[in-house]
């Protein structure tokens, strides 16, 4: 299956485009690719693509989810959810043409029929929305893995009416406006032919029945908002930005549909010592000029406690030493990454008279060696700029 294109790319707009620009771009492309007017053999698929992009980017909530997580964030939305509340009739009515009839004579089929979820399916069981939860953990917790109870607000089936929406023991009657189907069909004439839309009945709100006595606990909604305590397990080695799925702990489904899922977004806090790159850690360790020159054995911090690290004589600033197996655990296989100790030679800011005397003596003794080093670097610079 081909990878989905970026929605902004599909419509040809920038990420900072406002609703007006997004709508204008969609209208232009819709006129070009609608199957009733386009001769392009791929017009149907292109029309579906631009319509889906518009449905997401024209909805503030869906757009925010897409901007943050991309197509992965839309995984919890069905095609029906994506197109819910999008007024395509208004889009095409606004083209500014007069008269009726269409170029194709075949009628302007509804967006919902084109995508294959028109008719009674819209009033059937529907999965509940997914719910997101952001969890902040430390690098140490990410290294060992943790189990934690989190408090998640979500929608659940009303325990009083069990989702029936009516007060237990009361009667309901069939809606006369839609005849119990829960939906009504509107047909409008456009320059491209007839444009048909199927919408939930405004009288019964798509239920097909009239509830005379709403449930006293959920006020006739069938669901209640509550906060549940959910136990989650965070695996060792989890990275910042990882998403943990907890099936069935999202919002309750509609009309008997299954519940959505809970997605726990993991944020690993920055560590005061270590910088993480995948499964490896880096620590910048300060050492003195004497330690770098003469060599030394120092204690290097790790997530598992301090370990001895040998600094060879003559070590230069920026040199890295690898401590194998002291990084982060791998998520998909056994073992750990490495810890890299990058040394940084610290120059003292204040010197005693004795220290200055010794350093001056050192400079005199090693002057030829330092001068040769400087001269070599200068010669290399001259060679570089002369070519």
């Amino acid at each position: 299956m081909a990878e989905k294109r970026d929605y902004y790319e599909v419509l040809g707009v920038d990420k900072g485009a406002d609703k007006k620009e997004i709508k204008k771009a969609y209208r232009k492309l819709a006129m070009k690719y609608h199957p009733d007017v386009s001769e392009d053999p791929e017009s149907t698929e292109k029309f579906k693509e631009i319509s889906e992009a518009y449905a997401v980017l024209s909805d503030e909530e869906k757009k925010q989810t897409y901007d943050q997580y991309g197509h992965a964030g839309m995984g919890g939305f069905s095609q029906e959810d994506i197109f819910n509340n999008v007024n395509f009739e208004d889009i095409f009515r606004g083209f500014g043409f007069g008269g009726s009839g269409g170029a194709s004579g075949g009628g302007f089929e509804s967006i919902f029929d084109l995508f294959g979820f028109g008719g009674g399916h819209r009033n059937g069981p529907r999965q509940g929305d997914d719910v997101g939860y952001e969890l902040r953990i430390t690098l140490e917790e990410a290294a060992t893995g943790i189990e934690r109870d989190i408090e998640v607000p979500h929608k659940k089936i009303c325990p009083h009416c069990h989702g029936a929406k009516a007060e237990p023991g009361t009667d309901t009657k069939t809606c006369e406006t839609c005849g119990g189907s829960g939906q009504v069909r509107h047909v409008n004439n456009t320059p491209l032919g007839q444009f048909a839309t199927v919408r939930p009945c405004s009288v019964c709100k798509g239920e097909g029945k009239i509830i005379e006595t709403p449930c006293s606990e959920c006020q006739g909604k069938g669901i209640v908002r509550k906060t549940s305590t959910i136990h989650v397990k965070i695996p060792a080695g989890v990275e910042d930005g990882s998403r943990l799925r907890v099936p069935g702990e999202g919002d309750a489904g509609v009309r008997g549909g299954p519940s959505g899922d809970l997605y726990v977004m993991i944020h690993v806090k920055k560590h005061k010592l270590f910088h993480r790159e995948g499964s490896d850690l880096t620590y910048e360790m300060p050492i003195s000029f004497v330690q770098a020159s003469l060599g030394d054995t120092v204690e290097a911090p790790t997530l598992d406690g301090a370990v001895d690290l040998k600094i060879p004589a003559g070590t230069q600033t920026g040199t890295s030493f690898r401590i194998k197996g002291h990084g982060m655990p791998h998520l998909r296989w056994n073992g750990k990454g490495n810890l890299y100790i990058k040394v940084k030679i610290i120059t003292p800011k204040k010197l005693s008279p004795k220290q200055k005397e010794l350093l001056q003596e050192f400079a005199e003794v090693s002057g030829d060696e330092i001068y040769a080093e400087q001269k070599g670097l200068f010669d290399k610079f001259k060679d570089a700029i002369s070519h």
Side-chain angles (χ1 to χ4, degrees):
M1 181 182 292
E3 186 175 345
K4 274 192 173 185
R5 289 200 297 155
D6 178 77
Y7 286 144
Y8 292 97
E9 178 188 343
V10 169
L11 294 182
V13 296
D14 296 329
K15 277 198 172 183
D18 57 24
K19 281 189 174 182
K20 186 176 180 181
E21 292 173 294
I22 292 170
K23 182 176 181 179
K24 181 179 179 181
Y26 172 68
R27 290 170 63 188
K28 181 178 178 180
L29 291 171
M31 279 290 288
K32 181 178 180 181
Y33 291 116
H34 191 278
D36 281 355
V37 298
S38 176
E39 296 181 359
D40 188 333
E42 298 181 358
S43 61
T44 298
E45 292 306 314
K46 290 179 179 178
F47 186 72
K48 287 182 179 181
E49 184 182 42
I50 62 173
S51 296
E52 181 177 318
Y54 174 71
V56 171
L57 299 184
S58 62
D59 183 286
E60 284 298 330
E61 184 177 348
K62 296 186 183 76
K63 182 177 182 294
Q64 185 177 358
T65 300
Y66 179 74
D67 286 345
Q68 187 172 5
Y69 305 115
H71 287 298
M74 308 310 296
F77 293 92
S78 67
Q79 283 278 284
E80 183 181 356
D81 294 331
I82 287 176
F83 287 94
N84 190 32
N85 297 325
V86 181
N87 190 350
F88 287 102
E89 180 183 349
D90 174 65
I91 295 287
F92 295 106
R93 187 192 303 125
F95 278 134
F97 296 105
S100 61
S104 67
F108 200 114
E109 62 188 317
S110 76
I111 297 293
F112 296 110
D113 290 336
L114 185 65
F115 277 83
F117 50 83
H121 175 72
R122 297 188 69 207
N123 292 310
R126 182 161 60 88
Q127 182 173 342
D129 291 335
D130 293 334
V131 172
Y133 183 93
E134 296 192 358
L135 177 63
R136 297 179 65 84
I137 63 174
T138 65
L139 186 65
E140 287 83 358
E141 290 172 328
T144 59
I146 59 169
E147 296 187 24
R148 182 171 295 180
D149 289 334
I150 59 176
E151 302 296 317
V152 179
H154 51 182
K155 298 174 182 176
K156 289 297 179 183
I157 297 296
C158 175
H160 185 58
C161 67
H162 303 290
K165 301 185 179 181
E167 185 68 20
T170 62
D171 296 327
T172 61
K173 65 179 182 180
T174 301
C175 176
E176 296 179 357
T177 302
C178 64
S181 67
Q183 59 186 15
V184 290
R185 185 179 179 87
H186 297 275
V187 179
N188 292 278
N189 292 323
T190 77
L192 301 176
Q194 287 187 324
F195 181 66
T197 58
V198 178
R199 297 179 180 173
C201 175
S202 60
V203 177
C204 65
K205 303 298 187 294
E207 295 296 323
K209 58 185 179 181
I210 302 297
I211 298 174
E212 296 183 330
T213 308
C215 171
S216 57
E217 186 163 332
C218 65
Q219 287 73 51
K221 296 178 180 178
I223 56 175
V224 292
R225 190 165 187 84
K226 60 174 293 187
T227 297
S228 301
T229 300
I230 299 173
H231 188 74
V232 295
K233 296 181 179 181
I234 310 300
V238 66
E239 295 190 38
D240 182 63
S242 297
R243 187 171 69 160
L244 178 68
R245 175 174 171 263
V246 185
E249 291 295 350
D251 286 343
V254 178
R255 303 181 190 91
S259 295
D261 299 326
L262 167 66
Y263 286 92
V264 181
M265 305 300 300
I266 307 297
H267 297 288
V268 182
K269 301 175 185 177
K270 288 185 177 181
H271 199 274
K272 63 181 181 180
L273 297 180
F274 303 112
H275 172 72
R276 180 179 183 178
E277 293 183 7
S279 296
D280 294 331
L281 296 174
T282 301
Y283 169 62
E284 190 173 86
M285 171 179 281
I287 61 173
S288 70
F289 170 74
V290 175
Q291 288 175 311
S293 301
L294 302 180
D296 196 4
T297 298
V298 299
E299 282 193 343
T302 77
L303 289 176
D304 306 310
V307 297
D308 288 339
L309 175 66
K310 185 176 181 180
I311 305 294
T315 293
Q316 303 297 306
T317 190
T319 301
S320 288
F321 299 94
R322 184 182 72 168
I323 303 180
K324 191 175 181 181
H326 279 276
M328 297 293 290
H330 296 294
L331 265 177
R332 296 175 180 82
W333 59 86
N334 293 330
K336 293 183 178 181
N338 302 314
L339 170 62
Y340 292 90
I341 305 295
K342 185 177 181 180
V343 297
K344 180 181 179 181
I345 300 174
I346 303 300
T347 303
K349 294 181 178 180
K350 294 182 179 181
L351 296 172
S352 67
K354 181 64 175 178
Q355 288 173 320
K356 289 180 181 179
E357 180 183 342
L358 291 173
L359 282 175
Q360 286 171 350
E361 182 179 346
F362 172 79
E364 292 173 1
V365 172
S366 58
D368 291 341
E369 180 183 341
I370 296 174
Y371 177 74
E373 178 97 9
Q374 290 175 335
K375 183 178 179 181
L377 289 172
F378 182 68
D379 289 339
K380 289 179 182 178
F381 176 72
K382 286 197 301 181
D383 290 340
I385 64 174
S386 64
H387 286 84

